[in-house]
Amino acid sequence: MATDGVSLSLKLPCVFSPKSRQYLAVCAQDGRLRVWNTDSKTLHQEYVPSAHLSATCTCVAWGPCRTVKEGPQRKKRKSEAAQVEEKADLLAMGTAAGTVLIYSTAKGSLHCTLDGGHSGGVNCVHWHPEDSLLYSGSDDTNIVEWDLQTGKTRSKWKADRAAVTSLCVSPDGKLLLSAGHVIKMWDLETKEVYRKFTGHSTAVTTLRFATTRPPDSNGLYFLSGAAHDRLLSVWQVREDGKDKNSVVSFTLTDEPQHVDLITSSSKEEAVRLAVVCKDGQLHLFEHFLNGPCKKPLSPSCSVQMSDTKESPMPIPLLAAALGADPRSVLLAYGNYLQPVMENAEINTAERHVCLARDLKTNLSLSMETTVSKVKTPIVNAKSKVLIPGLPGHKAPVVSAPQGTEKRKKDAGNKEMSIAERLGEIDLEASSSQKGAPKATASLQTDNYAVLLMQGLESKDANILNKVFQTRKEVEIKKTVARLPLPAVIPLVEELTTRLQGNPLVACMMVRWLKAVLVHHTSYLASLPDLVTQLGVLYHMIESRVKMFHKLTKLHGKLHLLTTQVRGLKSSLKLFFFFFFLSQHWEEEEAMQEDEGDEEDEDPDSRTEPKANGDEDMEHENESEEE
């Protein structure tokens, strides 16, 4: 919101307790549950779930009021027993890890944990008005019926092809509404589809029954609101089954974020409706549901809040609850960390009402009252406090202890800081590499959606570098899938800036960009200013695609050149081989010729003595003849 000082406006669960509206339950972005007392305007309780950073709370629903035994009490008389007041006690919280936590405000601790029913994140929870049953819808497209007495699943069935984003049980406890893109009405006894309603193009986020009449009398109505939709549609459950289109539409300034209504029990009784939109405005409606209405209905009164500065800034409204008096409305405004509760008297005769409040003074007062109820003595600068020890030593002024005794006991259990969690991510990345020594990581998670959100909000390069170094495709897909929609555009902008850097980093960023386009294409296509927001990425991709053709040509030429060089090297090797071989052959032939010449010279020398001997013999013969 505007006053939160963050760039991303996220829808956080914020619900008033039923009937008395005594408590306001808020699930913060860090996963902590804070229960505020609307009477004293102070923090009543705070609960920190284990592993709250990896499994954030996605939805909250108060259970029906019941009698709570807070401890051993004396036996009451019959007259006193009849005056026992039922209080809101149990609070159901769905988490992104697929579990459902049941928190008890009377005990101030976790009542039980419901797990094993969903394989995806829980998107919605809703209580049965009479029985101790709870219904939950998840990303795994299933609806689970939980039995709180045993803490186990009572039944489970597939609701739709898409994720179940909203649930609502009828006031009589016989019908159940579930919605993704299609709204289905189930018979809880047979678990079969009773009716189907189509009319929303995006995921349905709000389902509420508007009347308490039975469906057989054509008097059962319910309303629905969807993401990025500025209309609340009212549907009629007809006996003849001709209920394909909505009968009434309420116009809003933005998509609905919190809806509160007072149901109608007859045609003569109007339905009162209070809707807080995403832009921080409150719209009040009052209408008699008796058949279709052609034109969309505008709000009877719109409420805005602003501060008291010279140039007033708007203060966002978080939630609103209608009272018995039509002019009385319980408001929660400011920010989620420190909301301000106020019972405001609104003049509904005016179409537009602007309430001016000094938000800083209200915050400072509420912060001082929420620290502790223990009063500390005011020590002046002139006064001296005598304590055992050295003379002249001044005693330090001890501030009031913060928190309860229970929190002191749990002080030994230190939570992991963000730096330690980033270290665990480093450990997982190093252990996944080949040849790295195996190390045991204490952080077990399959996505880093919360860390990525914190890095995008704070623009911390260290956190973003640690998250983006993940190379597992499954973890990247789950992280992007569980990322809220307002964080998609900042993620795309961060990826665009990183794609323009080092090519090795760009290769890793392409995996993240692919996951974003696979999971959030429909959301990106629905944005009106998509061309201006993604213009840089489009031009960069277009320029690189044009360069890709030239690079492929260059790659082909280089490949041809390298193959020719390799062939030339092999031919040179063969040439030199045959050259040396021919030289060797020539040397051998020369050697053989030399040996032949020597042999030719030897027979000549042998014939000479023979010739001399012949001459001698001739001389001897001549002498004998004489």
Side-chain angles (χ1 to χ4, degrees):
M1 307 303 288
T3 58
D4 291 341
V6 296
S7 58
L8 305 175
S9 59
L10 302 177
K11 177 185 176 183
L12 300 177
C14 181
V15 186
F16 282 104
S17 61
K19 291 186 178 181
S20 63
R21 314 288 187 182
Q22 185 181 2
Y23 300 115
L24 175 66
V26 180
C27 273
Q29 190 176 347
D30 57 356
R32 300 170 185 262
L33 170 68
R34 294 182 177 91
V35 180
W36 299 86
N37 193 327
T38 58
D39 297 334
S40 60
K41 312 294 189 298
T42 57
L43 181 62
H44 180 62
Q45 291 177 4
E46 184 177 8
Y47 172 68
V48 183
S50 59
H52 59 284
L53 287 177
S54 59
T56 56
C57 179
T58 55
C59 53
V60 172
W62 284 94
C65 297
R66 63 171 188 167
T67 56
V68 182
K69 296 181 180 180
E70 297 182 355
Q73 298 178 352
R74 64 177 180 85
K75 293 183 179 180
K76 298 182 179 180
R77 300 175 183 176
K78 293 182 179 180
S79 59
E80 294 178 349
Q83 299 177 356
V84 174
E85 183 182 1
E86 294 183 346
K87 296 182 179 180
D89 176 27
L90 297 181
L91 193 66
M93 298 180 293
T95 63
T99 59
V100 180
L101 307 178
I102 307 298
Y103 179 78
S104 174
T105 56
K107 299 178 182 178
S109 61
L110 191 66
H111 181 68
C112 63
T113 302
L114 308 177
D115 53 358
H118 293 292
S119 59
V122 179
N123 296 323
C124 50
V125 288
H126 202 278
W127 294 79
H128 194 278
E130 298 176 358
D131 301 331
S132 58
L133 299 176
L134 181 70
Y135 298 91
S136 60
S138 171
D139 289 333
D140 59 3
T141 71
N142 292 325
I143 298 176
V144 176
E145 184 181 38
W146 302 91
D147 189 354
L148 295 183
Q149 294 181 355
T150 59
K152 298 180 180 179
T153 59
R154 189 175 179 181
S155 61
K156 178 180 178 180
W157 69 95
K158 186 176 179 63
D160 202 349
R161 295 180 181 177
V164 181
T165 55
S166 185
L167 290 174
C168 186
V169 182
S170 61
D172 58 359
K174 296 181 180 179
L175 300 174
L176 173 68
L177 285 173
S178 69
H181 292 290
V182 179
I183 302 174
K184 293 183 180 180
M185 182 175 285
W186 303 85
D187 188 352
L188 288 179
E189 293 184 0
T190 60
K191 304 297 187 295
E192 294 180 355
V193 178
Y194 181 69
R195 295 287 169 79
K196 285 185 180 181
F197 306 90
T198 56
H200 292 287
S201 60
T202 55
V204 178
T205 57
T206 303
L207 283 176
R208 296 293 297 270
F209 277 94
T211 59
T212 57
R213 309 170 215 169
D216 299 337
S217 62
N218 292 336
L220 184 61
Y221 293 85
F222 70 91
L223 59 89
S224 63
H228 309 291
D229 195 352
R230 297 183 181 183
L231 287 177
L232 272 181
S233 302
V234 180
W235 309 80
Q236 182 182 12
V237 184
R238 296 174 59 90
E239 188 177 2
D240 54 3
K242 297 180 180 179
D243 42 19
K244 296 183 179 179
N245 299 323
S246 60
V247 293
V248 182
S249 296
F250 298 111
T251 59
L252 306 172
T253 55
D254 206 339
E255 66 175 273
Q257 183 170 343
H258 184 274
V259 177
D260 185 55
L261 59 85
I262 296 179
T263 58
S264 170
S265 57
S266 63
K267 295 181 180 180
E268 292 75 18
E269 187 179 357
V271 175
R272 294 173 54 203
L273 184 65
V275 184
V276 177
C277 296
K278 191 176 179 180
D279 57 358
Q281 297 187 38
L282 170 64
H283 302 288
L284 301 177
F285 298 89
E286 188 172 355
H287 181 67
F288 292 91
L289 294 176
N290 189 11
C293 184
K294 294 182 180 180
K295 294 183 179 180
L297 301 177
S298 57
S300 59
C301 182
S302 297
V303 181
Q304 287 182 298
M305 301 196 73
S306 64
D307 53 16
T308 57
K309 296 180 180 179
E310 295 180 357
S311 56
M313 296 293 294
I315 300 174
L317 285 161
L318 307 179
L322 296 171
D325 187 4
R327 302 184 55 165
S328 177
V329 181
L330 178 59
L331 302 176
Y333 56 90
N335 54 21
Y336 289 99
L337 296 177
Q338 183 74 26
V340 181
M341 286 75 68
E342 178 185 353
N343 268 310
E345 295 289 335
I346 298 175
N347 186 9
T348 55
E350 299 180 5
R351 296 296 299 272
H352 298 280
V353 177
C354 184
L355 303 177
R357 298 289 185 271
D358 191 359
L359 192 60
K360 290 186 177 180
T361 56
N362 291 339
L363 284 176
S364 61
L365 289 174
S366 58
M367 285 292 289
E368 290 177 359
T369 54
T370 56
V371 171
S372 178
K373 295 181 180 180
V374 180
K375 295 182 179 180
T376 56
I378 300 175
V379 181
N380 297 327
K382 298 180 180 179
S383 62
K384 294 182 180 180
V385 180
L386 300 178
I387 60 170
L390 298 175
H393 178 70
K394 295 184 179 180
V397 179
V398 181
S399 61
Q402 297 183 1
T404 59
E405 295 180 357
K406 182 179 178 182
R407 193 179 299 178
K408 290 182 179 180
K409 294 179 181 179
D410 298 337
N413 301 329
K414 295 184 178 179
E415 301 176 1
M416 295 180 65
S417 62
I418 296 180
E420 294 174 350
R421 291 178 180 275
L422 292 176
E424 295 291 344
I425 297 178
D426 275 343
L427 186 61
E428 291 180 0
S430 61
S431 61
S432 62
Q433 296 177 358
K434 294 182 179 180
K438 294 184 178 180
T440 58
S442 61
L443 182 62
Q444 307 247 348
T445 181
D446 57 350
N447 71 92
Y448 306 104
V450 177
L451 287 175
L452 183 57
M453 280 291 306
Q454 293 175 352
L456 292 174
E457 288 183 5
S458 60
K459 296 183 180 179
D460 192 344
N462 189 18
I463 297 178
L464 293 175
N465 292 334
K466 300 297 183 183
V467 175
F468 286 146
Q469 74 180 359
T470 305
R471 297 185 179 182
K472 296 182 180 179
E473 295 289 341
V474 178
E475 294 182 359
I476 294 175
K477 290 180 180 178
K478 289 186 177 181
T479 302
V480 174
R482 295 184 180 180
L483 201 66
L485 293 180
V488 174
I489 292 297
L491 176 60
V492 173
E493 292 176 354
E494 182 66 26
L495 293 176
T496 304
T497 56
R498 289 173 179 264
L499 281 170
Q500 300 173 1
N502 192 353
L504 296 178
V505 178
C507 292
M508 300 176 65
M509 296 304 106
V510 168
R511 301 180 182 178
W512 287 88
L513 185 61
K514 178 182 177 182
V516 171
L517 295 178
V518 168
H519 288 88
H520 300 288
T521 303
S522 59
Y523 168 72
L524 293 174
S526 64
L527 295 176
D529 53 348
L530 179 64
V531 178
T532 58
Q533 291 181 347
L534 301 184
V536 178
L537 179 62
Y538 175 75
H539 290 300
M540 182 180 63
I541 293 176
E542 188 178 8
S543 62
R544 295 197 177 187
V545 168
K546 290 181 179 178
M547 187 64 67
F548 180 73
H549 184 63
K550 298 179 181 179
L551 290 176
T552 51
K553 287 185 177 180
L554 180 61
H555 179 265
K557 292 180 180 179
L558 290 176
H559 179 70
L560 180 62
L561 184 61
T562 52
T563 52
Q564 289 179 353
V565 168
R566 290 173 185 171
L568 182 61
K569 286 183 179 180
S570 61
S571 61
L572 287 174
K573 288 181 181 179
L574 289 174
F575 171 75
F576 285 116
F577 174 73
F578 286 116
F579 176 75
F580 288 116
L581 188 62
S582 61
Q583 282 188 348
H584 182 65
W585 287 345
E586 290 178 356
E587 290 179 356
E588 288 185 352
E589 290 178 355
M591 292 291 293
Q592 291 178 358
E593 290 177 356
D594 294 340
E595 291 178 357
D597 294 339
E598 291 178 357
E599 291 178 354
D600 294 340
E601 291 175 357
D602 291 340
D604 294 339
S605 59
R606 290 177 183 175
T607 53
E608 287 179 358
K610 287 182 179 180
N612 295 330
D614 293 338
E615 290 178 355
D616 295 338
M617 290 291 295
E618 290 177 355
H619 288 295
E620 290 177 357
N621 293 329
E622 289 178 355
S623 59
E624 288 178 356
E625 290 177 355
E626 291 178 355

